């Protein structure tokens, strides 16, 4: 096992937020590819949980491990981070491909009317008349706006609806009630 990594149990609310691209510099810093254009979760948490890469070179660890972060900051098109007990480039490079997870509870509180994508996945989508349109299975960034990917079944076949996630179509997001109300019809 790489020095500085200790086996850990993943928190129940762990969310994958990025992956290790490799070493940055010679002092054990890591270069990180965030999964979000707004990687605040990486900055707000000082405890990252790592899982081995899904493919590529064999990881120096198995299962989940804890990495205690000293500092994380933006650098060009990525994030760079320094961790306690990762003293050199070799230790950092050994983590290449590792998946980074942080507890959802450590995410910063979003502003009024803002939501983390991870919180929207699985919510039921209904229209103003109360007709069920499906469940959010994914979100897509299309440049100027986000789009809800709503999965449903029709004649026993899986289907998808794409609903722009903008005020013109989204009336209410009720996280506690696990439901999104939209101005949209089933035949759109």
């Amino acid at each position: 096992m790489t020095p500085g990594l200790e086996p850990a149990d993943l928190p129940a609310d762990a969310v994958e937020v990025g992956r290790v691209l490799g070493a940055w510099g010679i002092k054990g810093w890591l270069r990180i590819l965030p999964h979000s254009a707004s990687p605040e979760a990486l900055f707000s948490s000082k405890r990252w949980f790592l899982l081995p890469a899904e493919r590529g070179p064999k990881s120096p660890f198995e299962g989940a491990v804890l990495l205690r972060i000293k500092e994380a900051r933006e650098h060009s098109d990525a994030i760079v981070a320094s961790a306690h007990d990762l003293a050199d480039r070799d230790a950092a490079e050994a983590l290449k491909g590792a998946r980074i997870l942080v507890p959802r509870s450590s995410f910063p509180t979003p502003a009024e009317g803002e939501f983390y994508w991870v919180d929207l996945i699985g919510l039921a989508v209904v229209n103003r008349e109360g007709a069920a349109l499906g469940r959010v299975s994914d979100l897509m960034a299309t440049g100027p706006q986000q789009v809800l990917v709503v999965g449903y079944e029709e004649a026993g076949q899986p289907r998808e609806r794409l609903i722009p996630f903008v005020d013109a179509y989204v009336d209410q997001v009720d996280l506690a009630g696990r439901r999104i109300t939209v101005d949209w019809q089933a035949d759109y």
Side-chain angles (χ1 to χ4, degrees), residues 66-128:
L66 175 65
L67 185 65
R68 296 177 301 121
I69 301 301
K70 286 193 273 190
E71 179 183 352
R73 65 177 192 257
E74 291 187 63
H75 181 74
S76 295
D77 61 344
I79 305 295
V80 293
S82 171
H84 295 279
D85 305 320
L86 280 185
D88 61 28
R89 182 176 182 84
D90 292 339
E93 192 62 36
L95 299 179
K96 184 176 182 173
R99 297 174 290 150
I100 303 167
L101 296 92
V102 298
R104 170 62 184 89
S105 57
S106 70
F107 284 25
T109 303
E112 182 69 30
E114 292 183 355
F115 305 94
Y116 286 108
W117 285 16
V118 69
D119 294 338
L120 300 176
I121 303 293
L123 267 58
V125 179
V126 298
N127 66 15
R128 289 177 173 175

